[in-house]
Short mmCIF file of all heavy atoms in Angstrom, two decimals:
data_model
loop_
_atom_site.label_atom_id
_atom_site.label_comp_id
_atom_site.label_asym_id
_atom_site.label_seq_id
_atom_site.Cartn_x
_atom_site.Cartn_y
_atom_site.Cartn_z
N MET A 30 -19.73 -4.21 -43.15
CA MET A 30 -20.57 -3.11 -43.54
C MET A 30 -21.64 -2.88 -42.47
O MET A 30 -22.27 -3.82 -42.02
CB MET A 30 -21.23 -3.46 -44.87
CG MET A 30 -21.23 -2.35 -45.84
SD MET A 30 -22.19 -2.82 -47.27
CE MET A 30 -21.07 -2.36 -48.52
N LEU A 31 -21.80 -1.62 -42.05
CA LEU A 31 -22.84 -1.26 -41.10
C LEU A 31 -24.04 -0.72 -41.86
O LEU A 31 -23.90 -0.04 -42.85
CB LEU A 31 -22.34 -0.18 -40.14
CG LEU A 31 -21.26 -0.58 -39.16
CD1 LEU A 31 -20.79 0.64 -38.40
CD2 LEU A 31 -21.79 -1.62 -38.20
N GLU A 32 -25.21 -1.04 -41.36
CA GLU A 32 -26.42 -0.56 -42.03
C GLU A 32 -27.29 0.16 -41.01
O GLU A 32 -27.47 -0.29 -39.89
CB GLU A 32 -27.19 -1.75 -42.62
CG GLU A 32 -28.32 -1.33 -43.51
CD GLU A 32 -28.95 -2.50 -44.23
OE1 GLU A 32 -28.20 -3.37 -44.71
OE2 GLU A 32 -30.18 -2.53 -44.28
N PHE A 33 -27.76 1.34 -41.38
CA PHE A 33 -28.60 2.15 -40.53
C PHE A 33 -29.99 2.22 -41.16
O PHE A 33 -30.15 2.63 -42.30
CB PHE A 33 -28.00 3.56 -40.39
CG PHE A 33 -28.89 4.53 -39.69
CD1 PHE A 33 -29.05 4.48 -38.33
CD2 PHE A 33 -29.59 5.50 -40.40
CE1 PHE A 33 -29.87 5.38 -37.68
CE2 PHE A 33 -30.40 6.40 -39.76
CZ PHE A 33 -30.55 6.34 -38.40
N ASN A 34 -30.98 1.77 -40.43
CA ASN A 34 -32.36 1.81 -40.93
C ASN A 34 -33.18 2.79 -40.10
O ASN A 34 -33.13 2.77 -38.89
CB ASN A 34 -33.02 0.44 -40.84
CG ASN A 34 -32.48 -0.49 -41.90
OD1 ASN A 34 -32.44 -0.12 -43.07
ND2 ASN A 34 -32.07 -1.68 -41.49
N ALA A 35 -33.89 3.64 -40.74
CA ALA A 35 -34.84 4.53 -40.08
C ALA A 35 -36.12 4.47 -40.90
O ALA A 35 -36.17 3.83 -41.94
CB ALA A 35 -34.30 5.95 -40.02
N THR A 36 -37.15 5.13 -40.47
CA THR A 36 -38.43 5.06 -41.15
C THR A 36 -38.31 5.48 -42.61
O THR A 36 -38.78 4.79 -43.50
CB THR A 36 -39.46 5.97 -40.46
OG1 THR A 36 -39.25 5.94 -39.06
CG2 THR A 36 -40.86 5.51 -40.76
N LYS A 37 -37.65 6.60 -42.87
CA LYS A 37 -37.57 7.10 -44.23
C LYS A 37 -36.18 6.99 -44.83
O LYS A 37 -36.01 7.25 -46.00
CB LYS A 37 -37.98 8.58 -44.27
CG LYS A 37 -39.43 8.81 -43.94
CD LYS A 37 -39.76 10.27 -44.08
CE LYS A 37 -41.23 10.52 -43.82
NZ LYS A 37 -41.59 11.91 -43.95
N TYR A 38 -35.17 6.67 -44.01
CA TYR A 38 -33.80 6.72 -44.48
C TYR A 38 -33.13 5.37 -44.40
O TYR A 38 -33.36 4.59 -43.50
CB TYR A 38 -32.98 7.71 -43.65
CG TYR A 38 -33.58 9.09 -43.61
CD1 TYR A 38 -34.34 9.49 -42.52
CD2 TYR A 38 -33.40 9.97 -44.67
CE1 TYR A 38 -34.90 10.74 -42.47
CE2 TYR A 38 -33.96 11.23 -44.63
CZ TYR A 38 -34.70 11.61 -43.53
OH TYR A 38 -35.26 12.86 -43.49
N LYS A 39 -32.25 5.12 -45.35
CA LYS A 39 -31.42 3.93 -45.33
C LYS A 39 -30.04 4.38 -45.74
O LYS A 39 -29.87 4.98 -46.81
CB LYS A 39 -31.94 2.85 -46.28
CG LYS A 39 -31.16 1.59 -46.20
CD LYS A 39 -31.75 0.50 -47.04
CE LYS A 39 -30.94 -0.76 -46.86
NZ LYS A 39 -31.44 -1.84 -47.65
N TYR A 40 -29.07 4.18 -44.86
CA TYR A 40 -27.72 4.62 -45.13
C TYR A 40 -26.78 3.46 -44.85
O TYR A 40 -26.83 2.86 -43.78
CB TYR A 40 -27.36 5.83 -44.27
CG TYR A 40 -25.99 6.39 -44.52
CD1 TYR A 40 -25.70 7.07 -45.70
CD2 TYR A 40 -24.97 6.21 -43.60
CE1 TYR A 40 -24.45 7.56 -45.95
CE2 TYR A 40 -23.72 6.71 -43.82
CZ TYR A 40 -23.45 7.39 -45.00
OH TYR A 40 -22.21 7.88 -45.25
N ILE A 41 -25.94 3.15 -45.77
CA ILE A 41 -24.98 2.06 -45.60
C ILE A 41 -23.59 2.69 -45.51
O ILE A 41 -23.19 3.45 -46.38
CB ILE A 41 -25.05 1.07 -46.78
CG1 ILE A 41 -26.44 0.46 -46.85
CG2 ILE A 41 -23.98 0.03 -46.66
CD1 ILE A 41 -26.67 -0.41 -48.06
N LEU A 42 -22.89 2.37 -44.41
CA LEU A 42 -21.53 2.87 -44.23
C LEU A 42 -20.56 1.95 -44.96
O LEU A 42 -20.54 0.75 -44.74
CB LEU A 42 -21.16 2.91 -42.75
CG LEU A 42 -21.92 3.91 -41.88
CD1 LEU A 42 -21.52 3.74 -40.43
CD2 LEU A 42 -21.66 5.32 -42.34
#
Side-chain angles (χ1 to χ4, degrees):
M30 224 187 228
L31 292 174
E32 190 172 317
F33 172 76
N34 286 310
T36 324
K37 293 183 177 181
Y38 305 99
K39 184 175 183 181
Y40 182 71
I41 299 174
L42 293 175

